[in-house]
Structure formats: structure tokens, C-alpha cells
Amino acid sequence: MKNIGNIISASLRHPKPEGATFSYGTAGFRMQADFLDSVVYRVGLSAALRSRKLNGQTVGVMITASHNPAPDNGIKLVDPQGGMLEKSWETYVTSLANAETDEELQKEIEKIVKVTKIDMQGGMNVIYARDTRPSGEVLAQTLKDALDAIGATSTDHGVKTTPQLHYLVRALNTVGTVSPYGEPTESGYYQKLSIAFRKLLKEKPRGSTVYVDCANGVGGPKLRELKKYLGEECLDLVITQDDCGADFVKTFQKPPPGTKLTPLQRHASLDGDADRIIYYYAGQDGSFRLLDGDKIAGLAAMFFQDLVKSAGIDLKIGIVQTAYANGNSTNYLTKTLKLPVTCVATGVKHLHHAAQRYDIGIYFEANGHGTVLFSPTALALLETHEASSPAQHSALESLRGLSNLINQTVGDALSDLLLVEAILASKGWGPSEWDSAYTDLPNRLFKKVVKDQSLFVTTDAERKLVKPEGLQEKIDELVAKYSDGRAFVRASGTEDLVRIYAEAKTRSEADDLGMRIMALVS
Ligand code: 16G
Ligand code: MG
């Protein structure tokens, strides 16, 4: 490889911390920013190799640690179609990140080139962006160091939300093709979303307000930008920057401290890199109500089912959830709407993959990560189908609009916000009508620091433990004692601990079940 000398000499400036082991987790590498330098350098090399493997198509790199504390950071790769890095490549990236010496690094690079049969003659294109974390700027420099050393063409897109970077990657790779994804710029992204949203609202003024807390992250400035494109008459957005965000609201089931809820007023919280959103509101009686990812999935499923029926077309709708989905949300989808539901392991990449099996695949994690995917067949049908009545025409137009409004590369808080708002506007609903589809089963989430989280091995989409031996039987025995009881234990993919989820018919039963399993795990 002709640039190997450059790669190794630049690598001297980014030495690997001795003995450290890095793993490509649920959403890439994530840790205290101080330890990330060598990882970022090597991810840069991997991105370039991946691009070369795919004939120079543009690959994306995002520097973010999502909702983790400010001193953390992370890095992940985006494949040319805008989705997450293909699974088999996670191993290669990990082997580069863990090469102990520069000689080993060279060997690993040469091995990847050989094993994946990369023809090194030709260009490599990589774009990158970061969220607003203070450590992002220096890490972006390191990334550039790697891309320069290996000889890749690269563009720094500065501060972006994670889904914006995914959008840019897909848009860049589809310029001039039969299905261009959109103009490959940040303003192209806002234009695509806002034009679709205004069309869906049929330019009708919405006249009500939604309060959005952007978790002190990159969502704040970007939502402010999007707001300019939307126009006040379409949607009145009040943007706040609380420190907590979606994770706090979901975990503690209360509004961010300092946020006062007026009954029936819509509120939403994003996370740090704006790929996750949840809604909440106060009921007429002032009680706190959560409208999480499951509720968004339910709303979207109901809406898409109606539209597909009204449009008179045959498209198979399916929903993908994880074990964290509330039992009653699954009941609503399967028993009330009678739609197929698949359960997969935690992490956007697993849901995304499973959702691609449907014509319209709706996927949401309870924590608010999610989107809706239209298969190529579905898109073609929407394009060509001729309506035989004004009602069919209108439903088809709405489906077309939604396919543009929804970011199909990855879950996107800004796009999901507009999706929810478009559905509510179309139904003339407030949050309580939306909420009335079903009532969540009371549930509790615990975390437990253990000596070695790798001892906890799961199966059946993380719903059952195979190791430690005997533990699952004990959990089953406990669960059987509670009405509508369900519980599972899994190792976190982003933190060094074990998570415990329990739900049951009443609040006290859910608490009790969770606490007992916590004691078992200890
Ligand atoms: C990451 C995942 C998210 C998942 C969460 C689970 C992406 C973009 N993000 O944030 O989907 O819900 O991890 O974390 O894939 P845990 O393994 O610590 O429970
Ligand atoms: Mg995130």
C-alpha cells in the first residue's frame, strides 16, 4: 500500500493507550473523550478503506456520544446508503482500534485489504461531522489526520445532528441517480423536510404550540434553523435547552426540572445528537403522561394503516420493537390494529434491518429512537399508482409526502417531531386523544453495576438469559407470581453495567418485581 509510510508516521502522533481494549458497541465506540484519540485515528483509516471497498462511494463518520455525560465522546461509521456500518465490518474496525503497536496496525490494515479484496487503485471519499461536545473539535482534527495520511478526500461538515450526517451521506451518494435523496447540504435537508411538512398540512395554519427541550445538544441550533424554513404559521415551536433531555424524562417519568406543564400542552425532549425524541404532557388532572417511542410507533401505525386502506393499495405494514416495548403497546399493535410485530435486540441497527423486510416498516425503541422505512417497491407503487377517487388521491398524496418527511436513513428527532405533528394536525388531535389508544403497563427500569457484565448472555431478542446458569429459571418463577408480569435482564451495550426491566399490572407490583430481580442479580 503506497501510503502506509504516511499512515504509520501520522499514527505516532496518536498512540494507543497501552493494554486498552476497545469495542464497537451498540452505537460505535463510546468512552471518556481523553481515551478516544487513537480510536478516532484508526476509525478514520477504516472509513477510507470502507469507501475504497465500495468503489469510492462516500462514507460518513459521526463524532458524538449521544446522551452520555459531557466529558464522554464517541465515534461511529455511516455506510453509503445512509445506514449504519455493515455488521461484518465492525470486526475490521475493532481490529484496527485494538492493534497494540504500529507494526500490528500495518499488518491489520494489510489483512483487511486482502481479506475483503480491496483494490487500492482509486479514490476514497469520507465526510464527517460532530455534535456540540467540547472535545469534538480536537477529535475531528485527529480524524482528518488519518484521512490525509491514507490519501482520502474528506469534507468536514462541522456541527451536525447525527441524522443530518446520515442524510448527507445518502444524498451525496445518490446525486444524479434515478432516486436522488435530496440536495446534499444542510439547507437541502431543511428544505426537504419543510416542503413535505407544509404539503402534508396543506398549508393550513396549525395554530398550536409544541415546546421542545433540546437537551443542551446540537438539536437546539438545528431545530432553530428548521423553524425558519417551516414558518410560524405551520407550527409554533418553542425551543428550550434543558440539561436533561429524553433520557431523563423517559427514565424518571417526569418533566425536566424547571419545566412547568400546562394541562394538555404538548412537550417533547430530544437527546444530545438529536436522533431520539419523546413527547409528554400533563393530563386534565395535572398528572404527568409520557408519550414515548412506543406511543409514537402506535400513532404512526394507526395512521399508515388508515392511509394505505384509503389509498386502495396493497402494502404490507409491520412494526419492529425491542424487549423494552411496553406490553400494552404490543397488544395494541397486534390485537387492536392486527399488524405484525417483530421483536429484535436493542440498538437502532437491529431495528432498522428488521424493518426493511416490510413495505412500510415502522420501528421505534421505547426510548424514542426510530423512524419509518418505505421499501423500493412501496416507493415505486406510490409513484405510479393512479387514484380512482378524490379520497384515494388525497391518501396517496399524504403517503408520498410522508415518505419525504421521514428521514429514512436513521431515526431522526427533528423529522419524527414533524411526523407526529403532521399526524396530530391531520386528525385534529391533542396529546390526550393520541394517548387514549392504550394505557401503558406500569414498569420499572433498574441498573446494577456488576463485576463482569459479560457473564450475562441473552437469547430470544434479549428477553431471556442463557447465562449465568439458573438465573433465568429464578426470574421466570418470580414473574409468574405477578399479573401481567414480564421482566428481563441484559448487559448494557453502552455502559459497564446490567439493566433490569420489569412490568406488571399495578405500579406496586412492577416495583416489587423489579426490586426482587435486582436482588437476584446481586
Ligand atoms: C444506543 C443505541 C440505542 C439503544 C441504546 C441502548 C443507536 C444509535 N443507539 O444509544 O438504540 O437503545 O444504545 O443502550 O443505536 P444500552 O445498551 O446501554 O441499554
Ligand atoms: Mg442519540
Side-chain angles (χ1 to χ4, degrees), residues 124-143:
M124 297 168 259
N125 293 289
V126 178
I127 64 168
Y128 55 98
R130 58 191 158 87
D131 68 13
T132 51
R133 282 161 200 278
S135 56
E137 223 176 310
V138 176
L139 293 175
Q141 277 301 325
T142 300
L143 189 62

Side-chain angles (χ1 to χ4, degrees), residues 30 64-67 76 162 271-276 369:
R30 202 182 279 186
T64 177
S66 188
H67 64 270
K76 58 184 170 187
T162 296
D271 73 337
D273 61 338
D275 63 353
R276 156 178 186 197
H369 282 284

Side-chain angles (χ1 to χ4, degrees), residues 8-305:
I8 298 305
S9 65
S11 176
L12 295 174
R13 296 194 290 276
H14 308 287
K16 175 178 179 288
E18 215 173 298
T21 312
F22 302 111
S23 57
Y24 200 94
T26 321
F29 298 101
R30 202 182 279 186
M31 68 200 83
Q32 219 176 297
D34 305 343
F35 298 117
L36 258 178
D37 186 62
S38 69
V39 175
V40 169
Y41 182 79
R42 290 144 184 234
V43 168
L45 302 178
S46 317
L49 291 173
R50 178 80 181 140
S51 166
R52 187 78 286 284
K53 167 70 196 167
L54 300 170
N55 281 322
Q57 289 190 80
T58 300
V59 165
V61 183
M62 183 70 198
I63 301 174
T64 177
S66 188
H67 64 270
N68 280 41
D72 284 6
N73 216 325
I75 188 162
K76 58 184 170 187
L77 289 170
V78 178
D79 258 357
Q81 280 311 300
M84 309 265 180
L85 176 70
E86 186 191 288
K87 183 113 186 86
S88 66
W89 266 68
E90 290 183 6
T91 326
Y92 305 129
V93 184
T94 310
S95 71
L96 288 192
N98 287 309
E100 203 56 54
T101 61
D102 286 327
E103 277 132 56
E104 242 177 73
L105 180 62
Q106 174 166 354
K107 259 195 217 136
E108 287 298 337
I109 294 171
E110 287 164 354
K111 197 159 113 195
I112 296 172
V113 171
K114 195 167 161 214
V115 172
T116 65
K117 303 196 178 72
I118 304 178
D119 170 10
M120 286 308 291
Q121 302 306 312
M124 297 168 259
N125 293 289
V126 178
I127 64 168
Y128 55 98
R130 58 191 158 87
D131 68 13
T132 51
R133 282 161 200 278
S135 56
E137 223 176 310
V138 176
L139 293 175
Q141 277 301 325
T142 300
L143 189 62
K144 174 142 175 40
D145 229 10
L147 295 166
D148 288 350
I150 198 169
T153 304
S154 67
T155 311
D156 180 358
H157 281 270
V159 172
K160 295 277 177 290
T161 70
T162 296
Q164 283 178 335
L165 180 80
H166 286 252
Y167 167 91
L168 287 171
V169 170
R170 173 120 156 214
L172 280 165
N173 286 308
T174 54
V175 169
T177 66
V178 283
S179 43
Y181 192 57
E183 192 194 297
T185 59
E186 188 176 333
S187 76
Y189 166 91
Y190 298 126
Q191 266 162 23
K192 182 174 179 181
L193 263 58
S194 57
I195 290 171
F197 185 70
R198 297 175 74 106
K199 252 199 190 152
L200 277 163
L201 259 60
K202 307 204 172 61
E203 309 285 336
K204 259 187 294 177
R206 173 76 169 114
S208 81
T209 309
V210 54
Y211 294 82
V212 187
D213 146 38
C214 295
N216 248 339
V218 64
K222 301 308 181 189
L223 186 56
R224 236 168 247 126
E225 204 52 39
L226 174 61
K227 187 176 164 170
K228 292 184 200 155
Y229 289 76
L230 289 169
E232 301 262 323
E233 71 286 2
C234 258
L235 183 64
D236 183 23
L237 281 169
V238 178
I239 301 166
T240 59
Q241 286 277 34
D242 217 292
D243 246 342
C244 310
D247 201 53
F248 175 92
V249 178
K250 170 73 181 157
T251 310
F252 298 104
Q253 313 202 358
K254 60 183 183 192
T259 301
K260 216 182 141 318
L261 305 181
T262 309
L264 305 185
Q265 180 65 65
R266 302 191 301 292
H267 286 259
S269 281
L270 317 186
D271 73 337
D273 61 338
D275 63 353
R276 156 178 186 197
I277 185 169
I278 53 163
Y279 271 75
Y280 44 96
Y281 72 105
Q284 201 63 268
D285 59 354
S287 61
F288 177 79
R289 306 289 172 87
L290 193 62
L291 293 160
D292 61 3
D294 298 339
K295 287 277 182 180
I296 299 176
L299 181 74
M302 173 279 303
F303 196 64
F304 275 101
Q305 190 176 41

Side-chain angles (χ1 to χ4, degrees), residues 275-276 348 363-365 367-372 407 410-413 416:
D275 63 353
R276 156 178 186 197
V348 171
Y363 75 82
F364 275 90
E365 291 187 303
N367 64 19
H369 282 284
T371 191
V372 181
N407 188 339
V410 78
D412 180 338
D416 290 342

